[in-house]
Amino acid sequence: MRSGILEAADFPTTQEQQYVVDELNGRSDADVKEPDLLRALWVFFSSMKTAIALLLLLAVGSVIGTVIPQDSPPEMYIRQYGQAKSSIILKLGLHDVFHSSWYSFLLTMMSVNLLVCSINRFKLAWRRAYQPKVLASSDQITGMQVSDRVEFTDGSVEDAESKVVTALGGARYSVSTDRDGGDVCVYAAKGRMGIWGPYLTHLSLLIIFAGYILGNRIGFDGYAFIPEGSKVTGYYPKDSEQIRDLGFEVRLVDFTIELDEKRNVSGYKSHLQVFDGGKQVAEKTIDVNHPLTYRGATFYQSDFGLEGMIIKVTRPDGSPERVPIRLQTQAGPHGKEYVPELVPVDVKTGGKTWAFFVHHFAPDYVDSPAVNASDLPINPAALVYVNERFAEDPTAWRKIGWVSRDTPAEYKGHKIELEDVIDYTGLQVAGNPALPVVYAGFAIMLLGVFASFYIHHRVVRVRISPSEGMIAVGGASRADASVVERDIARLREALGR
């Protein structure tokens, strides 16, 4: 079985075969006689070497984008790679490979290569599918992948032609006939969709690349941080400190961390509500793998933390006072650390005033020197100091201990407790209007792969020659030769031989 784009019988002569080779290589006589820049570029992009080089460069770029952490703060690269290497990484865009200009340039070059190669081969594929050469000699037919000779000593040429055409048509072949003197040539083909499989695959890659590049240009990606009970109307794009409006509001109802029996995190979930024009239009509890999408913006669970806490002071007469205290988040050696505002809070009771402040905060408090078991807000606690004289006097402050939801502290009849913590959720906000283009490309790719591997182009040729006293029958297919052998056997039966 001969492989490749053409069966040998489609262009049987030496001259035509050379034409095919020249066309596949993007060459013609004009290339030699009239060299110019445009033709040189055309030949360059027609070259298989160019395609291999571009594929290797894209592969290297993709590997770099996998090995080097992507889209991290500059401090992380300095800490991990040092000042010199991190400077190279940031300048060359290796910290965001798949959105870099050079990666898009390589994809564009690859697209041009695919387009030029497809154009070079299109005329050839069109001829095979819709303008086949019907006339072929007996020797050319018997030289095909599968062939046979049938004696033709009686009956008319028209009768034999009718039987051949009927038999091939019944096998769902598209049949064409032509006369060569007193001989009749029959050309039959089926599975022409298989010819276009590679072209559909090339087209799908072009569409996918175009969608990817377009998505990088018109898409958006950023972050939004929402405290519990609050709303946001915008997000911060990557590498920007200017908020960009969403056109609607997103509210965080609640943030929860789910744990298993061994206190391992099994999920981070944010209960979100979307308001548009003052009306709630969407609501969903999202996690890492289940985002919320509204008006082209998709919200992914990305981060979490603590915005603040509520300290509740209950006076001896039972009257409560709730004091919100903000927390600043900073990176520590073992994860996130939360630093409370060191601002004294006055509490008035019976004409007297005393003050307290939170000296330290532990998100996962344990009664040990380590204080924190993790940076997860699982068992939050606050270290409280009180002062009943002058807040400015540092010697007057007295530590009353750690307070939590379940463990309050007592101070002169007052109960001090950590009533609640205010979580915030960190959301990645992304939108890609070109995503349907990419999906369409993948759909066309599936169609192209199916056509290439499951639809096999078959050709059957017949020459009825009274002068030679024989009928030459031949066939070719990219599939198993037995498929064509069965079709030729049907022809013998139809001819009564």
PDB file of all heavy atoms in Angstrom, residues 127-145:
ATOM      1  N   ARG A 127      -7.946  18.769  -6.751  1.00  0.00           N
ATOM      2  CA  ARG A 127      -7.919  17.946  -7.954  1.00  0.00           C
ATOM      3  C   ARG A 127      -8.240  16.485  -7.621  1.00  0.00           C
ATOM      4  O   ARG A 127      -8.963  15.823  -8.372  1.00  0.00           O
ATOM      5  CB  ARG A 127      -6.546  18.038  -8.616  1.00  0.00           C
ATOM      6  CG  ARG A 127      -6.287  19.366  -9.312  1.00  0.00           C
ATOM      7  CD  ARG A 127      -4.909  19.382  -9.937  1.00  0.00           C
ATOM      8  NE  ARG A 127      -4.676  20.630 -10.658  1.00  0.00           N
ATOM      9  CZ  ARG A 127      -3.525  20.919 -11.262  1.00  0.00           C
ATOM     10  NH1 ARG A 127      -2.533  20.049 -11.232  1.00  0.00           N
ATOM     11  NH2 ARG A 127      -3.381  22.060 -11.889  1.00  0.00           N
ATOM     12  N   ARG A 128      -7.699  16.013  -6.563  1.00  0.00           N
ATOM     13  CA  ARG A 128      -7.976  14.623  -6.192  1.00  0.00           C
ATOM     14  C   ARG A 128      -9.450  14.408  -5.895  1.00  0.00           C
ATOM     15  O   ARG A 128     -10.026  13.383  -6.257  1.00  0.00           O
ATOM     16  CB  ARG A 128      -7.169  14.240  -4.940  1.00  0.00           C
ATOM     17  CG  ARG A 128      -5.677  14.110  -5.146  1.00  0.00           C
ATOM     18  CD  ARG A 128      -5.005  13.689  -3.857  1.00  0.00           C
ATOM     19  NE  ARG A 128      -5.456  12.372  -3.459  1.00  0.00           N
ATOM     20  CZ  ARG A 128      -5.499  11.933  -2.200  1.00  0.00           C
ATOM     21  NH1 ARG A 128      -5.144  12.739  -1.220  1.00  0.00           N
ATOM     22  NH2 ARG A 128      -5.899  10.713  -1.922  1.00  0.00           N
ATOM     23  N   ALA A 129     -10.050  15.411  -5.226  1.00  0.00           N
ATOM     24  CA  ALA A 129     -11.433  15.240  -4.783  1.00  0.00           C
ATOM     25  C   ALA A 129     -12.442  15.520  -5.894  1.00  0.00           C
ATOM     26  O   ALA A 129     -13.435  14.796  -6.025  1.00  0.00           O
ATOM     27  CB  ALA A 129     -11.710  16.144  -3.583  1.00  0.00           C
ATOM     28  N   TYR A 130     -12.203  16.556  -6.712  1.00  0.00           N
ATOM     29  CA  TYR A 130     -13.261  17.012  -7.611  1.00  0.00           C
ATOM     30  C   TYR A 130     -12.853  17.096  -9.087  1.00  0.00           C
ATOM     31  O   TYR A 130     -13.715  17.275  -9.941  1.00  0.00           O
ATOM     32  CB  TYR A 130     -13.766  18.385  -7.156  1.00  0.00           C
ATOM     33  CG  TYR A 130     -14.261  18.375  -5.739  1.00  0.00           C
ATOM     34  CD1 TYR A 130     -13.549  19.018  -4.731  1.00  0.00           C
ATOM     35  CD2 TYR A 130     -15.425  17.700  -5.389  1.00  0.00           C
ATOM     36  CE1 TYR A 130     -13.999  18.998  -3.405  1.00  0.00           C
ATOM     37  CE2 TYR A 130     -15.876  17.675  -4.083  1.00  0.00           C
ATOM     38  CZ  TYR A 130     -15.160  18.320  -3.098  1.00  0.00           C
ATOM     39  OH  TYR A 130     -15.598  18.288  -1.815  1.00  0.00           O
ATOM     40  N   GLN A 131     -11.566  16.998  -9.392  1.00  0.00           N
ATOM     41  CA  GLN A 131     -11.126  17.055 -10.781  1.00  0.00           C
ATOM     42  C   GLN A 131     -10.137  15.926 -11.090  1.00  0.00           C
ATOM     43  O   GLN A 131      -9.000  16.166 -11.507  1.00  0.00           O
ATOM     44  CB  GLN A 131     -10.476  18.417 -11.076  1.00  0.00           C
ATOM     45  CG  GLN A 131     -11.428  19.588 -10.929  1.00  0.00           C
ATOM     46  CD  GLN A 131     -10.728  20.923 -11.104  1.00  0.00           C
ATOM     47  OE1 GLN A 131      -9.506  21.016 -11.091  1.00  0.00           O
ATOM     48  NE2 GLN A 131     -11.519  21.980 -11.282  1.00  0.00           N
ATOM     49  N   PRO A 132     -10.539  14.690 -10.852  1.00  0.00           N
ATOM     50  CA  PRO A 132      -9.604  13.580 -11.077  1.00  0.00           C
ATOM     51  C   PRO A 132      -9.366  13.358 -12.566  1.00  0.00           C
ATOM     52  O   PRO A 132     -10.209  13.684 -13.414  1.00  0.00           O
ATOM     53  CB  PRO A 132     -10.329  12.394 -10.444  1.00  0.00           C
ATOM     54  CG  PRO A 132     -11.779  12.723 -10.590  1.00  0.00           C
ATOM     55  CD  PRO A 132     -11.868  14.213 -10.414  1.00  0.00           C
ATOM     56  N   LYS A 133      -8.231  12.778 -12.874  1.00  0.00           N
ATOM     57  CA  LYS A 133      -7.944  12.398 -14.249  1.00  0.00           C
ATOM     58  C   LYS A 133      -8.573  11.029 -14.495  1.00  0.00           C
ATOM     59  O   LYS A 133      -8.188  10.038 -13.876  1.00  0.00           O
ATOM     60  CB  LYS A 133      -6.437  12.342 -14.474  1.00  0.00           C
ATOM     61  CG  LYS A 133      -6.064  12.008 -15.902  1.00  0.00           C
ATOM     62  CD  LYS A 133      -4.556  12.015 -16.080  1.00  0.00           C
ATOM     63  CE  LYS A 133      -4.200  11.654 -17.521  1.00  0.00           C
ATOM     64  NZ  LYS A 133      -2.734  11.636 -17.732  1.00  0.00           N
ATOM     65  N   VAL A 134      -9.534  10.974 -15.383  1.00  0.00           N
ATOM     66  CA  VAL A 134     -10.292   9.743 -15.605  1.00  0.00           C
ATOM     67  C   VAL A 134      -9.520   8.770 -16.493  1.00  0.00           C
ATOM     68  O   VAL A 134      -9.482   7.573 -16.230  1.00  0.00           O
ATOM     69  CB  VAL A 134     -11.670  10.064 -16.224  1.00  0.00           C
ATOM     70  CG1 VAL A 134     -12.434   8.774 -16.519  1.00  0.00           C
ATOM     71  CG2 VAL A 134     -12.477  10.969 -15.285  1.00  0.00           C
ATOM     72  N   LEU A 135      -8.888   9.295 -17.536  1.00  0.00           N
ATOM     73  CA  LEU A 135      -8.183   8.430 -18.468  1.00  0.00           C
ATOM     74  C   LEU A 135      -6.931   7.841 -17.834  1.00  0.00           C
ATOM     75  O   LEU A 135      -6.160   8.547 -17.175  1.00  0.00           O
ATOM     76  CB  LEU A 135      -7.803   9.203 -19.730  1.00  0.00           C
ATOM     77  CG  LEU A 135      -8.964   9.740 -20.581  1.00  0.00           C
ATOM     78  CD1 LEU A 135      -8.416  10.491 -21.791  1.00  0.00           C
ATOM     79  CD2 LEU A 135      -9.885   8.615 -21.023  1.00  0.00           C
ATOM     80  N   ALA A 136      -6.744   6.548 -18.008  1.00  0.00           N
ATOM     81  CA  ALA A 136      -5.554   5.856 -17.534  1.00  0.00           C
ATOM     82  C   ALA A 136      -5.340   4.638 -18.397  1.00  0.00           C
ATOM     83  O   ALA A 136      -6.298   3.984 -18.839  1.00  0.00           O
ATOM     84  CB  ALA A 136      -5.706   5.459 -16.070  1.00  0.00           C
ATOM     85  N   SER A 137      -4.082   4.296 -18.676  1.00  0.00           N
ATOM     86  CA  SER A 137      -3.771   3.140 -19.504  1.00  0.00           C
ATOM     87  C   SER A 137      -3.944   1.856 -18.695  1.00  0.00           C
ATOM     88  O   SER A 137      -4.005   1.874 -17.456  1.00  0.00           O
ATOM     89  CB  SER A 137      -2.335   3.238 -20.017  1.00  0.00           C
ATOM     90  OG  SER A 137      -1.423   3.103 -18.942  1.00  0.00           O
ATOM     91  N   SER A 138      -4.001   0.738 -19.407  1.00  0.00           N
ATOM     92  CA  SER A 138      -4.137  -0.560 -18.732  1.00  0.00           C
ATOM     93  C   SER A 138      -2.935  -0.836 -17.838  1.00  0.00           C
ATOM     94  O   SER A 138      -3.077  -1.377 -16.727  1.00  0.00           O
ATOM     95  CB  SER A 138      -4.293  -1.670 -19.777  1.00  0.00           C
ATOM     96  OG  SER A 138      -5.465  -1.485 -20.542  1.00  0.00           O
ATOM     97  N   ASP A 139      -1.753  -0.458 -18.306  1.00  0.00           N
ATOM     98  CA  ASP A 139      -0.552  -0.699 -17.497  1.00  0.00           C
ATOM     99  C   ASP A 139      -0.579   0.122 -16.209  1.00  0.00           C
ATOM    100  O   ASP A 139      -0.163  -0.346 -15.150  1.00  0.00           O
ATOM    101  CB  ASP A 139       0.699  -0.340 -18.308  1.00  0.00           C
ATOM    102  CG  ASP A 139       0.947  -1.319 -19.445  1.00  0.00           C
ATOM    103  OD1 ASP A 139       0.422  -2.453 -19.359  1.00  0.00           O
ATOM    104  OD2 ASP A 139       1.646  -0.943 -20.402  1.00  0.00           O
ATOM    105  N   GLN A 140      -1.052   1.367 -16.298  1.00  0.00           N
ATOM    106  CA  GLN A 140      -1.143   2.202 -15.099  1.00  0.00           C
ATOM    107  C   GLN A 140      -2.139   1.606 -14.099  1.00  0.00           C
ATOM    108  O   GLN A 140      -1.904   1.608 -12.896  1.00  0.00           O
ATOM    109  CB  GLN A 140      -1.552   3.619 -15.478  1.00  0.00           C
ATOM    110  CG  GLN A 140      -0.480   4.379 -16.240  1.00  0.00           C
ATOM    111  CD  GLN A 140      -0.999   5.670 -16.840  1.00  0.00           C
ATOM    112  OE1 GLN A 140      -2.213   5.864 -16.961  1.00  0.00           O
ATOM    113  NE2 GLN A 140      -0.088   6.550 -17.239  1.00  0.00           N
ATOM    114  N   ILE A 141      -3.251   1.097 -14.624  1.00  0.00           N
ATOM    115  CA  ILE A 141      -4.274   0.526 -13.731  1.00  0.00           C
ATOM    116  C   ILE A 141      -3.766  -0.748 -13.070  1.00  0.00           C
ATOM    117  O   ILE A 141      -3.948  -0.956 -11.867  1.00  0.00           O
ATOM    118  CB  ILE A 141      -5.572   0.261 -14.520  1.00  0.00           C
ATOM    119  CG1 ILE A 141      -6.194   1.594 -14.959  1.00  0.00           C
ATOM    120  CG2 ILE A 141      -6.560  -0.539 -13.673  1.00  0.00           C
ATOM    121  CD1 ILE A 141      -7.412   1.449 -15.854  1.00  0.00           C
ATOM    122  N   THR A 142      -3.115  -1.606 -13.838  1.00  0.00           N
ATOM    123  CA  THR A 142      -2.608  -2.858 -13.254  1.00  0.00           C
ATOM    124  C   THR A 142      -1.433  -2.623 -12.319  1.00  0.00           C
ATOM    125  O   THR A 142      -1.026  -3.528 -11.591  1.00  0.00           O
ATOM    126  CB  THR A 142      -2.196  -3.841 -14.366  1.00  0.00           C
ATOM    127  OG1 THR A 142      -1.250  -3.197 -15.244  1.00  0.00           O
ATOM    128  CG2 THR A 142      -3.404  -4.295 -15.163  1.00  0.00           C
ATOM    129  N   GLY A 143      -0.896  -1.427 -12.329  1.00  0.00           N
ATOM    130  CA  GLY A 143       0.178  -1.089 -11.391  1.00  0.00           C
ATOM    131  C   GLY A 143      -0.318  -0.497 -10.090  1.00  0.00           C
ATOM    132  O   GLY A 143       0.491  -0.076  -9.248  1.00  0.00           O
ATOM    133  N   MET A 144      -1.632  -0.443  -9.904  1.00  0.00           N
ATOM    134  CA  MET A 144      -2.188   0.123  -8.666  1.00  0.00           C
ATOM    135  C   MET A 144      -2.039  -0.852  -7.509  1.00  0.00           C
ATOM    136  O   MET A 144      -1.581  -1.993  -7.674  1.00  0.00           O
ATOM    137  CB  MET A 144      -3.653   0.499  -8.889  1.00  0.00           C
ATOM    138  CG  MET A 144      -3.855   1.635  -9.889  1.00  0.00           C
ATOM    139  SD  MET A 144      -5.588   2.045 -10.184  1.00  0.00           S
ATOM    140  CE  MET A 144      -6.019   2.815  -8.623  1.00  0.00           C
ATOM    141  N   GLN A 145      -2.438  -0.418  -6.347  1.00  0.00           N
ATOM    142  CA  GLN A 145      -2.272  -1.191  -5.114  1.00  0.00           C
ATOM    143  C   GLN A 145      -2.890  -2.585  -5.230  1.00  0.00           C
ATOM    144  O   GLN A 145      -2.293  -3.588  -4.856  1.00  0.00           O
ATOM    145  CB  GLN A 145      -2.912  -0.423  -3.950  1.00  0.00           C
ATOM    146  CG  GLN A 145      -2.787  -1.109  -2.602  1.00  0.00           C
ATOM    147  CD  GLN A 145      -3.552  -0.349  -1.537  1.00  0.00           C
ATOM    148  OE1 GLN A 145      -4.374   0.508  -1.833  1.00  0.00           O
ATOM    149  NE2 GLN A 145      -3.289  -0.666  -0.286  1.00  0.00           N
TER     150      GLN A 145
END
